[in-house]
Amino acid sequence: MRINRVFEALSHPVRRQVLTLLKAGPMSAGELANHFDLTKPTLSVHFNKLREAELVAVERRGTSLIYHLNMSILEEALGGLLGVKDQTP
């Protein structure tokens, strides 16, 4: 179930910090890594959790992976948690 993946991804402070950083705009994996004192394999696990939850979208630019925040998934998960139905016609 998608909502479970979203809240599992949000359960870790590093992943929440990644999402906070992406609110300012897309960033490469390297740019994001500069904000943490963690190994690349550890950060890769966090990035993958965010991707699995669809909280981020990833685009390849040459040899770089560029991460984009996907707010619609977060809004959908919170709406589901609160029992809010989509009002789109």
Side-chain angles (χ1 to χ4, degrees), residues 63-80:
T63 59
S64 296
L65 294 176
I66 308 300
Y67 288 85
H68 303 261
L69 182 60
N70 186 359
M71 279 298 290
S72 62
I73 294 297
L74 186 55
E75 291 168 347
E76 180 183 313
L78 289 174

Side-chain angles (χ1 to χ4, degrees), residues 4-83:
N4 292 339
R5 287 192 310 257
V6 169
F7 285 104
E8 180 182 345
L10 293 173
S11 70
H12 198 283
V14 168
R15 295 191 286 266
R16 291 192 304 268
Q17 182 64 28
V18 168
L19 296 176
T20 299
L21 291 166
L22 291 174
K23 283 174 39 180
M27 298 176 80
S28 71
E31 290 170 323
L32 288 165
N34 289 335
H35 293 273
F36 300 95
D37 188 25
L38 298 169
T39 65
K40 288 183 181 184
T42 298
L43 279 172
S44 183
V45 169
H46 289 300
F47 294 156
N48 284 334
K49 281 284 191 188
L50 291 169
R51 286 171 69 175
E52 289 170 7
E54 300 178 38
L55 290 168
V56 297
V58 184
E59 125 188 46
R60 182 171 291 281
R61 287 189 197 156
T63 59
S64 296
L65 294 176
I66 308 300
Y67 288 85
H68 303 261
L69 182 60
N70 186 359
M71 279 298 290
S72 62
I73 294 297
L74 186 55
E75 291 168 347
E76 180 183 313
L78 289 174
L81 178 69
L82 299 173

